[in-house]
Amino acid sequence: MNSISSIMGEQKLLPIIQVNNADDGVDIAKAMYEANLRTVEVVLRSEKSAEAITAIKAALPEMIVSAGTIIDEASLKIAKDAGADFIVTPAVTERLLKALTASGLPVLPGVSTVADIILAREHGFREMKLFPASLSGGAAFLKAVGGLFKDTRFCPTGGVSESNYKDYLSMSNIFAVGGTWVAKPEWVEAKNWQAITDACLDVK
């Protein structure tokens, strides 16, 4: 199964798309595509999120679209049916990890403690999302666990922003960061797609 870092390639930002309708999801994805981003995460937090995944895949066939906020087998099925390319979870349980492993899709499981990391590792995962990063120890936590799990890499999400993402990316056990700051709600409401493109281009 492909690792998430290999899917993302040189891309160091996993931009998070939160929408209430599919049209906005497509426009946000197009704005990110204009900034040379080819991988995005659509979180399943509204009734239209799954529709947005399908619509983005149709409008931008080259874009890799992951589904986030997968918390159980029901949401996993919704993500698969929508055509998600890989799965992102906010947390892990034994049951969820078994379902994720059986899904056949690449997965970025969410962890917030050392116990979570060990549990995910027992299921074969070596790349994980730290969530919510800012409330789970942030960079200090990731530095501490780097010595414990030398073959494990992370994508911190939750509290990552334009003011601190470089601190995370400077660490050897970080392969990417996830965040919503490149698609602020006020920009989406105003349909200011250029602001989203510019914000994505600013991430180096």
Side-chain angles (χ1 to χ4, degrees):
M1 186 177 294
N2 291 336
S3 67
I4 304 304
S5 60
S6 67
I7 292 171
M8 292 183 64
E10 297 299 314
Q11 185 175 318
K12 299 301 181 184
L13 168 66
L14 180 59
I16 297 171
I17 297 176
Q18 304 183 74
V19 290
N20 295 315
N21 64 79
D23 289 341
D24 282 350
V26 170
D27 286 330
I28 294 169
K30 286 181 176 178
M32 293 173 172
Y33 193 88
E34 286 297 313
N36 298 314
L37 297 183
R38 296 295 181 266
T39 305
V40 300
E41 176 186 343
V42 177
V43 290
L44 297 188
R45 295 186 183 179
S46 79
E47 293 181 358
K48 300 295 183 180
S49 298
E51 291 181 18
I53 292 174
T54 304
I56 293 168
K57 293 289 296 178
L60 297 165
E62 294 181 6
M63 182 161 269
I64 298 167
V65 185
S66 65
T69 320
I70 304 305
I71 58 174
D72 51 27
E73 291 172 79
S75 53
L76 176 58
K77 183 180 186 305
I78 290 171
K80 289 186 70 174
D81 290 347
D85 293 300
F86 68 90
I87 301 298
V88 184
T89 80
V92 290
T93 66
E94 184 72 30
R95 179 173 176 174
L96 180 58
L97 284 166
K98 286 181 179 178
L100 293 168
T101 302
S103 73
L105 291 173
V107 177
L108 185 64
V111 299
S112 61
T113 67
V114 172
D116 290 344
I117 295 171
I118 292 174
L119 179 59
R121 284 172 55 86
E122 288 177 348
H123 285 263
F125 295 100
R126 294 297 182 270
E127 293 182 346
M128 307 171 197
K129 176 176 82 168
L130 179 68
F131 179 83
S134 62
L135 300 178
S136 303
F141 175 81
L142 291 167
K143 181 178 180 180
V145 299
L148 295 174
F149 309 107
K150 297 183 184 300
D151 60 347
T152 303
R153 302 171 72 205
F154 299 89
C155 175
T157 304
V160 180
S161 68
E162 61 266 46
S163 65
N164 64 13
Y165 78 90
K166 289 183 179 179
D167 295 334
Y168 285 108
L169 290 178
S170 67
M171 302 173 66
S172 60
N173 60 340
I174 307 300
F175 69 89
V177 296
T180 60
W181 82 89
V182 292
K184 295 180 179 179
E186 57 267 32
W187 296 344
V188 177
E189 185 176 352
K191 300 191 181 303
N192 187 357
W193 314 125
Q194 187 60 49
I196 294 174
T197 298
D198 293 343
C200 291
L201 286 170
D202 284 341
V203 179
K204 307 295 184 186

